[in-house]
């Protein structure tokens, strides 16, 4: 450092001291209001700088958020595309989401289905034999040899058809009411996958051959359905035959009993008439009274025999019964059936055997000269109220007794007495015993799921998957499964030893 630098440094110090003194003097001249204004300006400048930094961060966050939204939409779109290739084989999934199968052929009986199925399979064999089941190149060369190329192509065509046939045979055998569409998609996907694997050699299964396989699947399924329908029909016919045999047996026994009683009373009348010829006047009066009583009994027996003859001659006469079982099926569930038995309660007692926990209660027992017609009219009136919409032999309907009574009045011109309230003795006594033990009544419970659809943003509303949400109470315990979220119930408080409740209430899905 030179002498000039030393003097310059000293000059700088003097300037600093002078400026500091001036600053202190000026500060002393400032009023408190001016000092506050200066402080506020300084703070404003600092906040303005901080605002710019925050706005810059917000812009960066918006860009990242938009980027994430776009990625989510892209992933959702990819998920939807992947779902098209997913084939659900889990029964729980299939039972919860399956569509009604619409018959394609709807043929008359299973034998016609069997013949149609044989024709379709024969057409498949013909296509394979004529080399029209698959597309393949005719000028493919291998090792510069057309002959070797043709052999290689033929082997690959045989391989792709064998693989496709084996997979179709394996899965068509498993087709059921709840997986028809999944099996169809699986057959189509199998065809597409095999075509992709052989695309380099330009070998592919033809759409015509794929269509025959889909026809085979439809025929196999409808054939199985028709076989089941015929089985149910045969079961119905056998039941009618058993009913007819029981009716015939009852008629024969009733006729035998009535004829025996008729012979007995005729003999008794003959003896009284013989006694009256030699009786005194007093004895004759007594014998005449006995003769009148026996004649009335004999007339009643003759009337019973005429009814038996009528029932045997009239094949359509019988009883239409309306019964319920609130302990087994709940209220407003009625069975409407028909029997030709001489004692219709025997049929009701048979229905209330060990297959249901409680006996049936009779609300009406209607004798009709054309019982099948009355029964059919009732069934048609409540066709859309059947409990079992598939099997028509299950004659249970979800209706009220007033509705049944109205239909009976329209189709039956005689007065019918209806029992409004069923006795249900064993069921009501069982409920009372449960209350005495401190247990809850047996009730039929149904759970409802509140499903709402949430979307991430309007930009990806068409791609975001729907989610099931419900408000969960943090104070309660929940069981989370692949089928949904279940609220854990409170334990029973009873006077008997009992474990925790295990009846779950569905409150949401994952």
């Amino acid at each position: 450092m030179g002498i000039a630098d030393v003097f310059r440094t000293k000059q700088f110090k003097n300037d600093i001291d002078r400026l500091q003194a001036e600053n202190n003097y000026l500060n002393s001249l400032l009023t408190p209001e001016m000092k506050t204004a200066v402080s506020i300006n300084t703070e404003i400048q600092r906040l303005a700088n901080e605002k710019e930094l925050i706005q810059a961060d917000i812009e960066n966050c918006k860009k990242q958020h938009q980027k994430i939204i776009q990625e989510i939409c892209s992933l959702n779109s990819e998920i939807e595309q992947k779902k098209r290739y997913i084939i659900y084989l889990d029964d729980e999934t299939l039972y919860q989401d399956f569509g009604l199968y619409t018959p394609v052929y709807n043929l008359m009986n299973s034998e016609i289905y069997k013949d149609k199925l044989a024709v379709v399979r024969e057409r498949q064999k013909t296509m394979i034999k004529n080399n029209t089941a698959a597309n393949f190149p005719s000028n493919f060369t291998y090792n510069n040899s057309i002959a070797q190329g043709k052999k290689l192509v033929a082997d690959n065509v045989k391989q792709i058809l064998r693989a496709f046939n084996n997979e179709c045979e394996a899965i068509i055998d498993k087709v059921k009411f709840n997986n028809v569409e999944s099996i169809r998609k699986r057959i189509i996907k199998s065809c597409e996958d095999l075509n992709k694997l052989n695309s380099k050699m330009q070998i592919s299964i033809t759409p015509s051959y794929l269509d025959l396989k889909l026809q085979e699947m439809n025929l196999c399924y409808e054939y199985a359905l028709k076989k089941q329908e015929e089985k149910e029909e045969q079961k119905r016919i056998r039941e009618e035959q058993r009913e007819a045999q029981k009716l015939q047996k009852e008629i024969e026994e009733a006729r035998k009993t009535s004829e025996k009683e008729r012979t007995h009373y005729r003999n008794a009348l003959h003896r009284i008439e013989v006694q009256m010829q030699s009786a005194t006047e007093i004895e004759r009066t007594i014998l005449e009274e006995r003769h009148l009583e026996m004649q009335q009994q004999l007339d009643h027996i003759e009337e019973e025999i005429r009814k038996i003859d009528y029932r045997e001659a009239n094949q359509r006469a019988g009883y239409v019964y309306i019964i319920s079982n609130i302990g087994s099926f709940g209220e407003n569930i009625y069975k409407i059936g028909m029997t030709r038995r001489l004692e219709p309660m025997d049929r009701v007692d048979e229905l209330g055997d060990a297959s249901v926990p409680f006996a049936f209660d009779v609300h009406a027992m209607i004798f009709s000269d054309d019982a099948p017609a009355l029964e059919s009219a009732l069934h048609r009136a409540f066709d859309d109220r059947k409990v079992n919409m598939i099997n028509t032999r299950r004659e249970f309907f979800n209706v009220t007794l007033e509705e049944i009574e109205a239909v009976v009045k329209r189709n039956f011109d005689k007065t019918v007495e209806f029992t409004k309230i069923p006795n249900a003795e064993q069921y009501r006594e069982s409920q009372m015993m449960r209350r005495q033990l401190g247990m809850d009544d047996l009730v039929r419970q149904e759970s409802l799921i509140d499903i709402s659809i949430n979307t991430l943003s309007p930009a990806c509303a068409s791609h975001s998957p729907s989610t099931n949400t419900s408000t969960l109470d943090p104070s309660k315990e929940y069981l989370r499964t692949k089928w949904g979220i279940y609220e854990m119930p409170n334990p029973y408080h009873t006077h008997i030893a009992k474990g925790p409740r295990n009846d779950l209430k569905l409150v949401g899905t994952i």
Side-chain angles (χ1 to χ4, degrees), residues 266-281:
R266 282 179 175 177
N267 293 335
L269 283 172
H270 179 70
R271 287 195 297 270
I272 291 175
E273 291 173 353
V274 172
Q275 292 175 6
M276 289 175 62
Q277 295 176 0
S278 59
T280 63
E281 185 174 351

Side-chain angles (χ1 to χ4, degrees), residues 124 127-128 130-135 157 161 204-207 209-210:
Q124 294 176 19
M127 290 189 71
I128 294 174
N130 296 336
N131 293 326
T132 58
N135 297 318
V157 169
L161 290 176
S204 62
I205 299 170
T206 61
Y209 192 76
L210 172 62

Side-chain angles (χ1 to χ4, degrees), residues 396-408:
F396 288 91
F397 301 87
N398 185 9
V399 295
T400 63
L401 197 61
E402 289 74 15
E403 292 175 311
I404 298 175
E405 190 172 1
V407 176
V408 170

Side-chain angles (χ1 to χ4, degrees), residues 293-359:
E293 292 177 359
M294 290 197 176
Q295 186 62 48
Q296 291 175 349
Q297 291 290 338
L298 184 60
D299 292 340
H300 176 71
I301 292 172
E302 293 288 352
E303 180 64 24
E304 290 294 327
I305 292 176
R306 283 193 294 272
K307 289 181 179 180
I308 292 173
D309 293 337
Y310 170 77
R311 293 294 302 277
E312 186 176 18
N314 190 352
Q315 298 294 323
R316 300 186 65 83
Y319 293 88
V320 174
Y321 54 82
I322 299 163
I323 58 179
S324 70
N325 195 326
I326 61 173
S328 302
F329 310 116
E331 297 182 355
N332 292 333
I333 301 294
Y334 296 94
K335 179 176 176 62
I336 303 173
M338 186 269 294
T339 180
R340 295 186 62 245
R341 306 270 283 275
L342 295 180
E343 293 296 333
M345 286 303 301
D346 291 345
R347 176 57 178 164
V348 176
D349 294 338
E350 289 176 0
L351 294 172
D353 61 5
S355 60
V356 289
F358 301 101

Side-chain angles (χ1 to χ4, degrees), residues 1 4 28 77 90 134 164 168 172-173 204 217-218 223 231 247 281 296 328 405 422 433 467 473-474 478 489:
M1 179 182 294
S28 65
S77 178
D90 180 66
F164 184 58
C168 289
I172 286 176
D173 188 54
S204 62
M217 184 208 70
N218 291 329
Y223 172 71
K231 183 178 178 181
L247 173 63
E281 185 174 351
Q296 291 175 349
S328 302
E405 190 172 1
M433 293 176 65
T467 57
D473 188 350
Y478 297 94

